[in-house]
Amino acid sequence: MVVHVALTGATGFLGLRLLRRLLATHRSVTVLVHAGSGDALRRITRYFELTGAPEAFTAPLADRLRVVETELERPRLGLPGRAFQELADGLDAIWHSAGSINLEGDLPELRRTNVEGTRHVLELAAAGRGRPLVHHVSTAFVAGGRREGVAYEDELDDAYGFENAYEHSKYEAEKLIHDWSREHARPVVVLRPSILVTDLPPHPELPPHPLQVVERIMRDARHTARAAGGPGAEGRPRVRLVGHRHGRLNLVQVEHAAEVMVRLAGRTPSGGVDTYHVVHDRDVPVPTVVTLLERLVPVSIELVAAEPDDPSALESLLDFYPGLTAYLAHRRRFDDTRVRTLLGPSAASDRVDLGYLCSGLAVGDPVPAGSSISPAVNSISKQQS
């Protein structure tokens, strides 16, 4: 039986890897892209070319991908009524991976994409005569400001507050999912990855590594502090950041996460909301993350128990970005018993260490435009009908 599937966010960091996996098991995929964002088909094809896909895979992409320009923030995805209904009626499954991960954004801004975008994807699912199954990509960080203990998959609680507006917006989107599922008596699969990383070097024609955002913020803050002058502005300034030397962060390979997500999607849903933590089975120690940041940006980081009473200009600038460095104090663990029970040993990830992270952030020189970064991290699976 041919299953008709749609994917939002197909040109994003995770979306491209999900598309790779979906094309291994589906003859065609409908990609819902942001209206006016450019040639999505060309960008998708270029990703596969750069990551070593054979021509036998890339050549027929124009026939296997149906590109529909949409506006997630608008009702009916910004489509005319008839086009919206035709799209809805032609789908058996919807993957919603589009969203904003802007750690600098405020809540109203992030709600427009992460909450209202989810609302309108659910509107599409509700309108379809085939009652398409929704797969919603959330984040393990809906656990919010809870820094210790265990975060379980069935937990969805705002009692601990949130480290930043991004976490808050993703929490609200999940609440919306639960309300919709109850109202329509429809199943939804919620997939909660942790911080997604890769060892594929940055390339100007590919979506940026999520940790490049952190690097840019720290570089901009350091540049501004140097321009302002003052003690410690030159050389390799000391930065005191609140953190715990026994802290840990969960970082998972994006390619592995996409594989696990698509495999989980093959399970028969329970009828309600099935939530899965797509996380690494081993956390990365905070000292490793600190070493990575020091290699990315010429600063010397000192972990402290509380914010200093006499912050430097650089420390004050970094404090403007809520949640940027708060994760250095995290010691919690994400429970993934459900995933490991369903998938067994194959749910385990390869090691994420300092070398892996440095490769994915090109500590050294990034790959120049026009260059290939093949071979692919994962080979293209044989197409199945």
Side-chain angles (χ1 to χ4, degrees), residues 235-312:
R236 194 176 185 92
R238 181 183 66 153
V239 179
R240 292 164 293 179
L241 298 178
V242 176
H244 199 290
R245 63 190 181 92
H246 296 304
R248 55 183 182 261
L249 276 176
N250 197 280
L251 295 88
V252 64
Q253 302 95 332
V254 64
E255 293 83 9
H256 177 76
E259 176 190 358
V260 168
M261 289 179 185
V262 173
R263 291 181 63 196
L264 289 171
R267 313 291 302 190
T268 301
S270 67
V273 178
D274 297 330
T275 305
Y276 299 101
H277 276 156
V278 182
V279 298
H280 205 292
D281 48 298
R282 288 157 290 178
D283 294 325
V284 174
V286 160
T288 299
V289 178
V290 168
T291 300
L292 175 68
L293 294 176
E294 290 178 332
R295 291 192 181 183
L296 290 170
V297 184
V299 297
S300 178
I301 297 174
E302 177 187 350
L303 296 178
V304 296
E307 292 185 5
D309 295 327
D310 57 341
S312 66

Side-chain angles (χ1 to χ4, degrees), residues 123-202:
E123 180 186 19
L124 178 70
R129 287 184 296 187
R131 295 170 63 87
L133 177 62
V134 176
H135 305 86
H136 174 73
V137 178
S138 182
T139 174
F141 289 83
V142 293
R146 179 180 183 175
R147 297 184 176 182
E148 299 181 356
V150 180
Y152 293 95
E153 290 164 306
D154 288 329
E155 290 181 331
L156 187 60
D157 191 347
D158 62 354
Y160 297 94
F162 300 96
E163 302 288 15
N164 48 55
Y166 165 72
E167 291 182 354
H168 196 163
S169 69
K170 297 297 282 187
Y171 163 82
E172 291 187 359
E174 274 204 42
K175 292 289 288 184
L176 188 64
I177 290 282
H178 281 265
D179 292 343
W180 183 88
S181 175
R182 284 192 296 269
E183 178 185 352
H184 294 271
R186 295 271 294 275
V188 180
V189 177
V190 173
L191 303 154
R192 291 180 180 169
S194 58
I195 299 170
L196 297 169
V197 294
T198 186
D199 63 350
L200 198 68

Side-chain angles (χ1 to χ4, degrees), residues 94-112:
I94 301 172
W95 282 78
H96 180 39
S97 74
S100 172
I101 59 170
N102 183 11
L103 295 179
E104 305 164 74
D106 59 23
L107 189 55
E109 170 196 343
L110 287 159
R111 276 176 173 150
R112 283 193 290 273

Side-chain angles (χ1 to χ4, degrees), residues 114-125:
N114 294 343
V115 182
E116 294 308 306
T118 300
R119 188 188 310 279
H120 299 140
V121 167
L122 293 173
E123 180 186 19
L124 178 70

